[in-house]
Structures are given as structure tokens and as C-alpha cells.
Amino acid sequence: MRVLLIEDNQALAASIFEFLEANGHVLDAAPDGVTGLYLARNHPFDVVVLDWGLPRMPGIDVLRELRSELGPEPPVLMLTARTDIEDKLAGFQAGANDYLAKPFQMPELEARLLALANRGKSMGPASLLRVADISLDPSTHAVTRAGQPIRLYRACRKLLEVLMRASPAVVPRVELEHALWGDAVPDADLLRSHMYELRRAVDGPFPVKLIHTVAREGYRLAAEND
């Protein structure tokens, strides 16, 4: 399990690191909200441990940004000394998947993280997806086109996976939005921005375009003759 720990309390962060690494997990850490958000945007994690009270950017704001940009993945467990029901509800409404009040026992933290990281995983290995000359491995997140590796951030990779699984059919905008944000679709048209970035990465360097806009419906991924 790969864990991103966003926690400014150095002693607590060291304890979490020591316990989880001793149990075979891989951790990256950030001491503030801005650094944590950067790491979450640019690296794949199975789960994020997010402190509420962070310098530079509060944990609740980090969480809102993550959900706005990356959708429902990765799952987030919030750490906080706040125990009021209003604070817990605010965390869940912002997109938290679980909530652990300080102080806590390390085995409980690990158990909760494993439950979050393993939710929804299939029992067998994921099958490689292929459309035309592009491929995506859902288990490793590796994307290639014509043998060339393509780097995608998480939201774009999720959109690509949905489009590839449906190919050559049209995927309605509402379905793509739900894949990214669930029922908490942002007011701004962020889907258009993500599709622009996906097109730039997948189609930009290649003469044959695979991503097509279907007016007033959605998007499809296919070779022109499909």
C-alpha cells in the first residue's frame, strides 16, 4: 500500500512512518497543505492520510481541491483533534472517506487505511485495455501510445479509462463527470479542462486523433473508421 501522509506534527508523522513502513507499506510525506496537494496531484497513491490543521493550506481546503481536480480517488482519511459532529460532517461533505480522531492507536490507523485502499478492488488482475495504438494497464496506471509512454495525472487517466472501456461508443458528459466527482460535480466546467489536457497528451504528438467530441452528447475514443 502506497500512502501519502500530510501531517505537520513531526513527532506524529515519524511515528506513523515508523509503524507503517515496518509493516511493509510505502510512504511519502508532506509537512504542509500546499506540498501535500502537489504530491497528490502528481503521484499515484492508494490512500491519503490528511491532517485537518495544516500550515500554508488547511486540510479541509486540500481535500476540496483534491476532489475538485481528481474526483473520488484516492480515498482520504482525515486526522484531527476535532470531535464535534459538525466538523465530522464538514469533512465528509468535502469528500473525506474516513475520519480518525487524535489520539489513536497505530493498528487502528493501518486497519482503516487497508480497508480504504482495498475497497472496490477486483479479486483478479485487471486486464490491459487497448484501443487502436493506445493501451492502459489499470493495475500499474501505465499508458502508452504507439509504444511511447504517456504521462497522465489521475483525473485524465480516469477519463481515458472510461472512454477506452466504452470505445467506440459515445460517453455522455454526465457519465464522465460522475466518474470524476461522483454526485459532487463542481459548478465550473472542469471536465472541459481535463479533456483538453487529455487530448494534448494522447492526441497532440500523433497524426491520428482518437478523442472526438460529439456535439451536445459527450466524447468518444476511437479511430475515425470505427
Side-chain angles (χ1 to χ4, degrees):
M1 177 174 63
R2 186 171 182 185
V3 181
L4 172 59
L5 173 63
I6 310 176
E7 169 63 64
D8 65 318
N9 184 312
Q10 294 184 2
L12 177 57
S15 296
I16 293 173
F17 242 86
E18 181 179 1
F19 181 86
L20 292 181
E21 285 194 329
N23 287 345
H25 307 297
V26 177
L27 281 85
D28 285 329
D32 60 76
V34 173
T35 305
L37 182 58
Y38 173 82
L39 290 175
R41 282 170 170 160
N42 291 281
H43 301 279
F45 294 98
D46 297 310
V47 66
V48 174
V49 180
L50 176 63
D51 185 36
W52 188 297
L54 292 168
R56 301 184 67 194
M57 188 177 194
I60 193 74
D61 290 341
V62 173
L63 179 57
R64 291 191 181 107
E65 288 291 322
L66 281 178
R67 291 299 178 243
S68 174
E69 296 181 23
L70 305 182
E73 299 296 334
V76 173
L77 182 147
M78 292 203 76
L79 295 180
T80 180
R82 303 179 182 217
T83 57
D84 292 341
I85 186 62
E86 291 81 6
D87 292 322
K88 290 184 178 181
L89 290 176
F92 286 126
Q93 288 168 359
N97 301 95
D98 200 357
Y99 196 104
L100 189 57
K102 301 175 183 179
F104 54 85
Q105 298 296 316
M106 292 298 170
E108 181 182 4
L109 173 64
E110 182 188 29
R112 288 173 179 259
L113 294 179
L114 286 170
L116 289 177
N118 291 329
R119 62 174 193 169
K121 287 187 177 179
S122 60
M123 297 302 292
S127 300
L128 186 68
L129 301 175
R130 287 192 180 92
V131 176
D133 60 350
I134 189 168
S135 66
L136 185 154
D137 188 335
S139 62
T140 65
H141 307 308
V143 178
T144 63
R145 181 165 181 190
Q148 300 181 31
I150 297 175
R151 179 178 174 83
L152 297 175
Y153 60 82
R154 189 175 284 104
C156 281
R157 191 172 64 243
K158 182 63 176 178
L159 290 173
L160 179 63
E161 180 175 346
V162 173
L163 289 168
M164 291 182 74
R165 291 188 184 279
S167 178
V170 176
V171 181
R173 284 181 55 91
V174 65
E175 185 175 330
L176 293 170
E177 289 173 338
H178 188 270
L180 291 184
W181 299 290
D183 295 328
V185 178
D187 294 333
D189 189 3
L190 293 180
L191 177 62
R192 186 187 300 273
S193 299
H194 290 315
M195 289 302 302
Y196 172 81
E197 293 297 331
L198 179 60
R199 271 195 167 109
R200 187 170 67 168
V202 169
D203 280 345
F206 302 93
V208 177
K209 308 309 177 187
L210 296 178
I211 300 175
H212 311 286
T213 301
V214 181
R216 296 182 295 278
E217 292 188 43
Y219 299 88
R220 66 191 291 264
L221 186 143
E224 286 286 5
N225 59 349
D226 286 343

